Structure formats: structure tokens, C-alpha cells
Amino acid sequence: MSYLDQIKWTQEGLVPVIAQDAASGRILMFAWMNREALEKTVALGEAVYWSRSRNKLWHKGESSGHVQKVREIRLDCDGDVLLLEIEQVGGIACHTGRESCFYSRLEGGEWVPVDPVLKNPEEIYGA
């Protein structure tokens, strides 16, 4: 049986994916993959996701240059979530120019951005 067949895909043919910095252990982002995205990730050694909003494959860093080099791929005990241990090129995983997409913390009933913007998104993606 193929490694792809051992994953419990959603009805839409997707699996949730957590990207974690291999060195620090920090969770950088959450995304989705379909079978093709996972196959390309394995073949390239760089993260390729499925963009639900754009309805297409998304090679992380294709426009920003902030690719994710995959060091290890793990499957959870239920077979329905993937964990990518990655090296984040450029140290920025979030389209907001921050290290992690999880940059807001709940404080007093409000979401407060607590991580700095490392690079202005306009410098990354253009105006």
C-alpha cells in the first residue's frame, strides 16, 4: 500500500498540514495538501500546498522566495494530519512578513499582534 493510501483524506481530498521550524520547534503555519501536493513535496524536498482560496497548487515561496525546505514529514496517530518539519528560508513564513502565521495572542478578549513584522509585505510581494 502506498504512503498516500495510508492517509485519511477529507471528502474534498485534502489533509491538514502543520509546518514547524525544525530548529526551534515553533509552529509557523497551517495549510492543506492534496495527493498531488504531497507527492510534489516529497519529490522536491520543498513544501507544496493546496490553496483552497485559489483552488490550485501553491509552492510555498513561489512569489516571496521564502521556500520551506522539508527536513521530515510525519503522520499523526489517526492518519489524518501531517506535520512538516521545515527550514524556513528567509525566516518568514507568513504573508504579513512575520516569522509565523500565529502572531496574535488573546489578551483580555481581544487578539493582539505580539510578533514583529520582519519585512514589509510590499517589499516581499510588491505593491
Side-chain angles (χ1 to χ4, degrees):
M1 178 184 299
S2 163
Y3 71 94
L4 294 166
D5 297 326
Q6 295 176 37
I7 295 172
K8 293 179 185 170
W9 303 93
T10 67
Q11 288 183 346
E12 297 81 20
L14 303 173
V15 65
V17 183
I18 299 165
Q20 180 181 37
D21 186 279
S24 71
R26 182 162 189 202
I27 302 299
L28 300 179
M29 57 177 278
F30 169 86
W32 296 90
M33 284 186 178
N34 62 11
R35 292 174 79 94
E36 184 181 4
L38 182 52
E39 287 176 308
K40 287 186 179 291
T41 296
V42 170
L44 292 171
E46 294 181 351
V48 177
Y49 299 108
W50 176 256
S51 172
R52 295 183 307 161
S53 62
R54 293 178 282 176
N55 203 34
K56 68 175 196 163
L57 290 176
W58 158 45
H59 185 171
K60 176 68 175 157
E62 63 192 2
S63 56
S64 67
H66 299 139
V67 299
Q68 294 178 340
K69 295 185 179 183
V70 177
R71 299 295 175 232
E72 190 170 280
I73 302 174
R74 292 183 178 237
L75 180 64
D76 82 324
C77 59
D78 293 325
D80 60 1
V81 178
L82 294 177
L83 173 67
L84 300 186
E85 292 189 7
I86 57 102
E87 174 191 334
Q88 181 63 61
V89 174
I92 296 173
C94 185
H95 74 281
T96 65
R98 292 176 172 89
E99 174 188 19
S100 171
C101 294
F102 297 95
Y103 61 84
S104 293
R105 180 171 54 213
L106 187 60
E107 294 180 1
E110 294 187 25
W111 294 108
V112 178
V114 294
D115 292 352
V117 173
L118 302 176
K119 190 169 186 180
N120 184 322
E122 289 182 5
E123 293 177 42
I124 299 170
Y125 303 103

